[in-house]
């Protein structure tokens, strides 16, 4: 496959049950053919999300889920993975570990059906 830096897509994902982690984004290179298909779908008014991709581009959907899992693992290697800041009633703050904010916990326990993503063309 011919991957070109001009064919970069941004993937933003979240996982049901891990709301504290919020949305995570990363870039992924795709072939010119895939990029053009995504661009055409966008021009036709489609929303480039997990629902559309899983129903219309099954191969790409599998590649994206694999890339998301790899990103979860990489994010989970950060020393601050899962650390959230809590605010005390008097205004002070402290940090604590929250499994619902951890990308490593997400990587280890989330099933594919819980992963939601959206693609943005670069």
């Amino acid at each position: 496959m011919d991957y070109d830096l001009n064919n970069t897509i941004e993937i933003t994902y979240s996982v049901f049950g891990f709301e504290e982690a919020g949305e995570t984004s990363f870039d992924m290179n795709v072939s010119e053919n895939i990029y053009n298909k995504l661009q055409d779908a966008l021009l036709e008014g489609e929303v480039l999300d997990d629902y559309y991709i899983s129903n219309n581009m099954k191969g790409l959907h599998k590649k994206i889920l694999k890339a998301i899992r790899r990103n979860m693992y990489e994010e989970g290697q950060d020393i601050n993975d899962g650390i959230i800041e809590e605010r005390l009633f008097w205004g002070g703050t402290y940090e604590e570990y929250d499994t619902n904010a951890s990308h490593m916990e997400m990587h280890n326990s989330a099933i594919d059906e819980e992963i939601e993503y959206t693609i943005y063309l670069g």
Side-chain angles (χ1 to χ4, degrees):
M1 297 227 162
D2 180 33
Y3 293 100
D4 184 342
L5 294 179
N6 295 327
N7 299 325
T8 301
I9 60 174
E10 180 182 339
I11 299 170
T12 299
Y13 69 91
S14 61
V15 177
F16 179 75
F18 292 88
E19 288 77 16
E20 290 295 322
E23 292 184 334
T24 305
S25 297
F26 66 95
D27 291 339
M28 178 178 160
N29 292 327
V30 295
S31 69
E32 185 175 352
N33 183 41
I34 295 293
Y35 191 87
N36 290 339
K37 285 181 182 180
L38 291 170
Q39 206 167 35
D40 290 345
L42 194 60
L43 291 173
E44 291 174 9
E46 298 294 344
V47 176
L48 302 179
D49 61 4
D50 53 288
Y51 179 79
Y52 175 80
I53 301 300
S54 67
N55 287 312
N56 296 287
M57 304 174 89
K58 292 179 185 351
L60 178 60
H61 178 65
K62 289 179 184 179
K63 287 180 183 179
I64 289 173
L65 288 176
K66 186 175 179 179
I68 289 172
R69 294 256 180 220
R70 185 172 39 251
N71 183 265
M72 286 177 190
Y73 182 81
E74 290 169 359
E75 292 284 331
Q77 298 301 306
D78 186 317
I79 194 165
N80 292 317
D81 179 52
I83 302 297
I84 60 169
E85 188 173 283
E86 293 288 332
R87 183 164 299 280
L88 298 169
F89 71 92
W90 48 269
T93 61
Y94 68 96
E95 293 179 338
E96 72 177 10
Y97 179 77
D98 184 345
T99 58
N100 294 328
S102 169
H103 283 83
M104 189 55 73
E105 291 290 331
M106 190 186 304
H107 175 267
N108 292 334
S109 63
I111 60 173
D112 289 348
E113 291 75 21
E114 295 173 334
I115 299 172
E116 294 181 343
Y117 64 83
T118 304
I119 296 173
Y120 301 96
L121 301 182

